[in-house]
Structures are given as structure tokens and as C-alpha cells.
Amino acid sequence: MNIPALQPRTPTAAMLAVLGGVAMLSGLLVVLAAQLTAPLIAENQRHAIERALVRVIPGAVTFRRYRIVEGGLAPARKEGDDTLYAGYDAQGRLLGIAARAAAQGYADMIYLLYGYDPRCQCIRGIQVLKMAETPGLGDRIMKDHAFLKNFESLDARLDPSGESLLNPIVTVKHGAKRNPWEIDAISGATISSRAVGKALNRSARKLLPAIHPLLQRIRRLREAQR
Amino acid sequence: MSRQRDDRLTWETFSEGLWRENPVFVMLLGMCPVLAVTNSAINALAMGLATTFVLVASGLLVSLLARYIPRQVRIATYIVIIATFVTLIDYAIQAISLDLYNALGAFIQLIVVNCIILGRAEAYASRNRPLKAVVNAAGMGAGFTFALLCLGGVRELLGAGSLFGVNLFGPAFQPWVVMVLPPGGFLVLGAWLLLFDWLKQRSAEVAPSPRGETANGR
Amino acid sequence: MAADSLSFIFLNTVLANNFVLAMFLGLCPFLGVSGKLETALPMGLATTFVMLVSSLCAYGINLALVALHIEFLRLIAYIALIASAVQLVEMALKRYSPTLFRALGIYLPLITTNCAILGLALFQTFKGYDFAQSLVYALGAGVGFTLAIVLMAGLREKLALSRLPSVSQGAALSLMLGGLLSLAFMGFAGLGGGH
């Protein structure tokens, strides 16, 4: 057990054997762990998305995943950053579309899921998927009731040409909200609040003009599926 | 402690990591996770437990394998062993709770370069019986977790007015926001160290000076 | 500035998200080697150098791991890579630039266990940076580290001359100073989430 101070030189073969053996052992353990936990992790991620989906498309019971492809929508099999989720009520009517948005927050990127309601042309809810904002400060963007109220009906109408938003979504200083497309920042967490506005504006500006002409198809697609 | 080479398990085997050789407060090791993830008590606890797991598991394996590992490649071997267990715990946390995983971020993987673990593998586990190595590693882990909780608790209490997410002071409390921000980490750990140094100095002085009335305002 | 433009990444890593003062990476050398300016600066430069090299290698290795679908070996691969990168840098310096080696040599082994290096490799992977972004990120991290450790050394050199209560000398004092520096750097925080 005790290593003598003056050891005869270890042959290279022995060193290689030990290193190789340890590497094999660790490889085996890691692969085993990855295999064992993979279904659990996938389940967790699916669960997290589903939990967020019911919040951002209130009332929806069934969801379908889509992806925007050249000139239309295609059902998406895998989850990705560009995945769209269409939420339907029990009668199969389209209630809303959810998509991901992201922006640089205070500490790191903030990843959001937001729900868009085509009937009112407004955003109906946001959920933070991932962030590293400071607990008790920046992380209030996912808990603060007054802040979340901003997104119960956030104006995201398209301009007459249908190519861009009528009013860009912006975050304004706490207490300065005057218009339905403005987000009232949390005082003390302005940077995180702004990041949310930026993420929404950037994503909505691109997504909504693209999705609007296609909405009819998802409504119909759903009916065809039934 | 270091001189005697007997295999007896004593309370001391476990407790030295808790207090006398506390990895954070006394040995000042593994500072990065100590400051980075302690902005709330729950993160601190999770990080402490994850580190304890890696300490214990790698301690056991190193102790079992020590006699077969040639000296020249021992550090490389230890690092591979440690990295393996860190990857395991990384997957485990991801499988247990995604929220926790997101909160701790890359700092779980950074357990690999926590000097406490490599230090213990080299200085203790490789020279002691598996059982003893495990008990000592558990003690070190407990000491590390204790230190993280000391920091995380104070920072969350002052910075957010809550503990483990439970609000304690009610809405009237004006939080010291800076405590949960990076500077708070430095300041709170500095304050803890001051306290410990002061206690140590006072117990060293015992009789001579009347009382430990040193300038210790903050 | 877009969040992924090179100038933004650089400024953000040097100032707003400084590796030492905001992300708590590389604290051991920050507390340990910041006693004197003349050692702090070479330490910072050596770290920057190793960061650039290992960021490059990590980028390549990650491509290979992803191509082979063995991402679960990432951590083990990175740590092995950093250890060997440090070794290589040491050998190359010794061979081609003995003067530089004499100046930086003793710091290199310390860098292997510097979590800033592994942190850099992991973060650039998580953020999905491309080749140029990774390099700029590494440069920013190195410059930020150097800046922090040099500032700290300057403060500590001044304080070494002043009278302090005996309890507050040592690590506690360094941490308090680190806290003040970190507080000062918080002023840059708006850079990340501004307009």
C-alpha cells in the first residue's frame, strides 16, 4: 500500500495498461450512465415543455409540433429551437401558436416560450425555459405577477402590409407603460425585463408575418387529422 | 494525524473535514463553486451534495486502485476517475430535476477542477484503506456542504429575504440586492473568514489579553 | 450590437461578465498569485495564452465528438486536452523561446487546475460559438482575467504598506478587495442587456 520512495522505474507497458484500463472503466461507466438517464432526461425535457405550453396557450388540450419550411409548414418530429407548437381545444379549434425566443439577459442567455393568439393578434403568455438570472432579482421575470400580467394580452398586431409588426414590442421603465405593446419592467430587474422584450420582439417580428398566411392550413390540417 | 499510519477509524477521521481542516474556511480550496452557486441555499445544498458524491466515489476507487497505479501516471489516472464520476452526477442531476440543472449550469462539470477532490485523492485516499478513505471523504464533503450552506444561507437571507425559497421577513423587507450578486459572494465569504480568524485568534490568546477587543467593526 | 457579434463577445467577457469577478472562475490564482504586480502580469499573460490554445483545441475536439455522437465523453476529453495543452505549451516555449519560458514557466503547471480554462471550454460549447467567436471569447476571457489579477495585485501592494487589524490580514482581506472590485465591475453590467 505504501509507495516506497525509491521505486524501480515502471515499465511503459504497465503505465499504458493502467491508463488504458482506467479509461475503459470510466468509458463504460459514463456510457452506462448516459444510457440509463437518457430516457429520464428526455422525459423531463418533454415535461418541462408541456408544462410551459399549457401556460402560454391557456385552455389548450392537444398540441402539435410544426416547423416552417420553404413555402409552408411541416410536422416536426424532433424538438428544436425553431419548433412551433400549435395548441387546440377539445373541439380541435386552434387556440394559439407557441414558439421559442431568446436574448442575452443579465447573466446569460434567457430562453423563453411564448404563446401567440391569432384571434386577438396578441401574446397570451410567456414561460422561461432556461436562464441563469440572479435569484431574487432577475429571476422575478418568471414569478412576478405584475410583470407576467404584461403578457396576458400583449399587442402584436401586424401592419397593413402584413410584413412586420405594427408596433415593435418594447420594454419600458417601471410604471411608464402606456400602450398595449409595451412591457412594464420590474424595478430592480430592468436588464432581465428588457431582455424579455427584446427576445419577444425579435422572434415575433420574424415569425408572425411568416405564420399568418399559414394559419388556415394548421386549422385545416388539424381537421384533416381528426 | 498525518504521521500515524494506523487503520483505526476514529471520529476524527470524519470530523477533521467538518471543522479543523474545513476545505473552505480553513484550507481555502475549491473557491470557484463556493462563490458561484451560493446565491441561494438550495443551490448551495445541491452543489455540496454533488461534490460529496464525487469525493466519496473517487476516494473509494482511488483507494482500491492505488497500489496498481504507477506513480508517474497517478495524477492523470485520478483526473480521469474524477471526471467519470462528475459526468455521472451531471447526468443524474439532469435526470432528477431540470430546474436544478439549469440553475447550477456548468458548475457541476467544473467539480472536476475542484482542488479538494484531487487533493484528497492524492493526499489521503491513495494512502489509506477504502473504508477510511470513504469516511474521510464523507467528512470533507460534509464540511464543504456546511460551508456552502453558511454562504448560501446568509446570501439568500440578506439578498432575497428568504431561506430555501421560503419568505421569512414578509413584504416590508428591503432586500440587500448586492448579496445575491457576485460582489456579495466575495464579501460574505470574507466576512465568514474574518469571523473564523477572530475566533481562532481569541482562543489562541485565552488568558493573556483581557478580551478579544480587536478592531472588528465589520 | 447583436449578442453574437465579435466586439460584443469581447467586451462582454472582459468587462460585464468578467471570468473572475462575475463568474468566479480562476479564483485560486486570483487569490494566490496576486500578491505582487510583477508576478500577476505574467500569470495573466500565461493564462491568456493557454486559454487561446485550449479554446482552439476544444473547438476541434467538440466537432469530432459531435460528429461521432459521443458527447457524453466531452468532460473527460476536455480535461485531458487541457492537461496536454499545458504540457505542449510548456515544451514549445522551452524549445523556441527560452526567455518567455523563464518568465512564464513556473505558472504553467498551476494553470492546469485553473477552472477558468475548463470553464471557458465548456461555456463556449454551451453557447454554441463558432470558430471565430470561440477565439474572441477566449481572448476576452484571458484579457479579463489579466485585468482582474493586475488590478488586485495593485490594490494589495498598496495595502501591504498600511496598518490593518491583525485578524483582517490574509485571505479575508483579499476576498473583501475582490468584492469591491467585483462591485466596481458591476457598473459594466448594462452592456449585456442594453438597447
Side-chain angles (χ1 to χ4, degrees):
Chain A
M1 187 176 293
N2 304 336
I3 300 149
L6 268 175
Q7 209 180 18
R9 191 176 287 168
T10 325
T12 322
M15 290 196 317
L16 283 179
V18 168
L19 269 181
V22 169
M24 291 280 280
L25 182 69
S26 79
L28 196 73
L29 278 172
V30 168
V31 171
L32 207 65
Q35 293 288 342
L36 281 178
T37 51
L40 283 171
I41 293 169
E43 177 70 22
N44 270 344
Q45 271 159 352
R46 206 173 51 85
H47 201 73
I49 282 282
E50 275 171 8
R51 218 173 30 194
L53 277 174
V54 258
R55 300 248 176 84
V56 297
I57 311 179
V61 288
T62 358
F63 298 94
R64 288 279 177 276
R65 282 185 298 211
Y66 295 102
R67 201 156 43 89
I68 293 195
V69 290
E70 198 63 48
L73 280 173
R77 306 231 62 197
K78 281 191 293 185
E79 296 275 332
D81 288 342
D82 55 349
T83 311
L84 300 178
Y85 306 84
Y88 302 91
D89 67 6
Q91 280 75 46
R93 280 180 306 226
L94 179 70
L95 287 180
I97 307 282
R100 287 186 172 83
Q104 171 74 35
Y106 178 80
D108 204 342
M109 295 294 282
I110 298 177
Y111 297 89
L112 302 169
L113 190 77
Y114 69 97
Y116 170 75
D117 187 338
R119 289 164 302 180
C120 68
Q121 294 208 15
C122 63
I123 286 168
R124 272 296 166 92
I126 61 162
Q127 280 288 306
V128 176
L129 293 178
K130 187 177 171 198
M131 64 167 185
E133 302 299 278
T134 323
L137 263 186
D139 78 339
R140 275 153 63 198
I141 57 171
M142 64 184 208
K143 300 187 248 196
D144 192 292
H145 292 293
F147 182 68
L148 290 178
K149 236 181 151 57
N150 281 306
F151 308 99
E152 278 172 9
S153 167
L154 184 71
D155 187 350
R157 276 173 298 165
L158 293 179
D159 67 3
S161 73
E163 275 166 12
S164 161
L165 291 181
L166 187 59
N167 302 295
I169 298 167
V170 283
T171 306
V172 294
K173 250 210 217 133
H174 181 60
K177 176 176 164 123
R178 299 282 172 274
N179 299 301
W181 57 85
E182 287 171 347
I183 300 168
D184 189 10
I186 304 174
S187 77
T190 317
I191 292 172
S192 309
S193 312
R194 270 202 203 132
V196 172
K198 216 161 72 175
L200 287 180
N201 187 49
R202 204 187 293 156
S203 167
R205 201 175 52 193
K206 248 183 35 207
L207 174 73
L208 299 186
I211 192 95
H212 248 270
L214 303 169
L215 280 177
Q216 277 307 322
R217 288 207 25 212
I218 334 188
R219 273 193 198 113
R220 255 185 275 132
L221 209 62
R222 169 68 186 154
E223 276 148 19
Q225 271 173 356
R226 278 201 302 159
Chain B
M1 188 71 217
S2 53
R3 289 204 61 88
Q4 69 203 69
R5 179 55 39 84
D6 65 335
D7 278 351
R8 272 177 308 130
L9 261 183
T10 54
W11 167 240
E12 182 74 353
T13 315
F14 180 77
S15 71
E16 69 169 10
L18 265 185
W19 190 253
R20 210 163 43 80
E21 284 186 32
N22 186 295
V24 178
F25 292 137
V26 180
M27 308 210 294
L28 297 172
L29 288 176
M31 286 301 177
C32 304
V34 170
L35 296 175
V37 301
T38 51
N39 45 22
S40 78
I42 190 84
N43 286 357
L45 184 64
M47 186 69 189
L49 292 181
T51 309
T52 307
F53 167 79
V54 177
L55 259 170
V56 170
S58 60
L60 175 66
L61 200 58
V62 165
S63 169
L64 283 173
L65 293 180
R67 71 172 92 180
Y68 306 109
I69 301 176
R71 264 190 88 70
Q72 294 92 324
V73 292
R74 68 188 195 290
I75 299 291
T77 319
Y78 297 161
I79 286 194
V80 170
I81 291 174
I82 293 168
T84 306
F85 286 115
V86 171
T87 313
L88 292 190
I89 197 79
D90 186 64
Y91 278 112
I93 291 182
Q94 233 180 115
I96 293 167
S97 160
L98 221 49
D99 291 334
L100 193 60
Y101 182 74
N102 288 339
L104 295 178
F107 282 94
I108 306 170
Q109 305 210 354
L110 285 174
I111 296 178
V112 179
V113 276
N114 191 326
C115 350
I116 301 171
I117 300 173
L118 189 60
R120 277 288 113 177
E122 159 79 354
Y124 201 94
S126 64
R127 298 174 193 177
N128 283 286
R129 223 155 36 97
L131 183 62
K132 216 171 159 187
V134 164
V135 170
N136 183 265
M140 279 288 158
F144 186 66
T145 312
F146 166 72
L148 283 179
L149 273 177
C150 283
L151 258 102
V154 169
R155 288 179 68 187
E156 189 182 340
L157 199 64
L158 296 178
S162 60
L163 202 58
F164 288 104
V166 181
N167 202 315
L168 292 181
F169 298 138
F173 176 70
Q174 183 65 44
W176 297 15
V177 170
V178 72
M179 284 302 164
V180 285
L181 294 174
F186 285 107
L187 296 175
V188 173
L189 182 58
W192 276 112
L193 287 181
L194 269 186
L195 181 73
F196 279 100
D197 283 350
W198 180 63
L199 286 177
K200 225 186 304 172
Q201 236 179 38
R202 231 173 64 143
S203 64
E205 283 166 6
V206 221
S209 85
R211 250 182 305 147
E213 265 183 71
T214 31
N216 192 42
R218 56 196 71 180
Chain C
M1 276 190 290
D4 46 4
S5 77
L6 296 182
S7 55
F8 175 83
I9 292 176
F10 182 75
L11 277 181
N12 192 32
T13 340
V14 174
L15 299 174
N17 277 325
N18 185 288
F19 258 44
V20 180
L21 298 172
M23 319 251 289
F24 301 115
L25 294 170
L27 283 177
C28 297
F30 177 67
L31 297 175
V33 197
S34 61
K36 287 204 195 78
L37 257 178
E38 63 195 53
T39 51
L41 189 62
M43 179 69 191
L45 295 180
T47 307
T48 310
F49 190 56
V50 175
M51 274 178 166
L52 280 170
V53 174
S54 49
S55 159
L56 252 170
C57 302
Y59 183 77
I61 288 235
N62 189 45
L63 282 187
L65 290 179
V66 172
L68 294 170
H69 296 290
I70 45 171
E71 289 97 333
F72 46 80
L73 289 181
R74 184 178 289 142
L75 185 64
I76 299 180
Y78 279 7
I79 192 87
L81 171 113
I82 289 168
S84 31
V86 172
Q87 202 89 62
L88 275 181
V89 167
E90 199 175 344
M91 272 153 51
L93 277 186
K94 211 181 209 165
R95 176 94 174 67
Y96 297 109
S97 172
T99 31
L100 201 59
F101 179 75
R102 267 197 297 279
L104 303 184
I106 46 164
Y107 303 102
L108 288 170
L110 278 176
I111 295 173
T112 317
T113 51
N114 183 339
C115 50
I117 313 275
L118 181 65
L120 173 80
L122 289 174
F123 282 124
Q124 81 179 29
T125 313
F126 291 156
K127 287 173 190 257
Y129 282 160
D130 65 21
F131 183 71
Q133 286 172 329
S134 298
L135 268 190
V136 171
Y137 188 54
L139 186 66
V143 172
F145 178 81
T146 311
L147 185 65
I149 197 169
V150 165
L151 283 175
M152 182 72 171
L155 284 177
R156 281 180 64 178
E157 279 195 348
K158 284 267 180 247
L159 273 178
L161 302 173
S162 45
R163 280 158 47 86
L164 291 164
S166 60
V167 272
S168 64
Q169 279 158 7
L173 176 71
S174 306
L175 281 163
M176 291 290 183
L177 285 178
L180 295 180
L181 270 182
S182 169
L183 202 58
F185 269 64
M186 290 249 330
F188 296 115
L191 277 178
H195 297 284

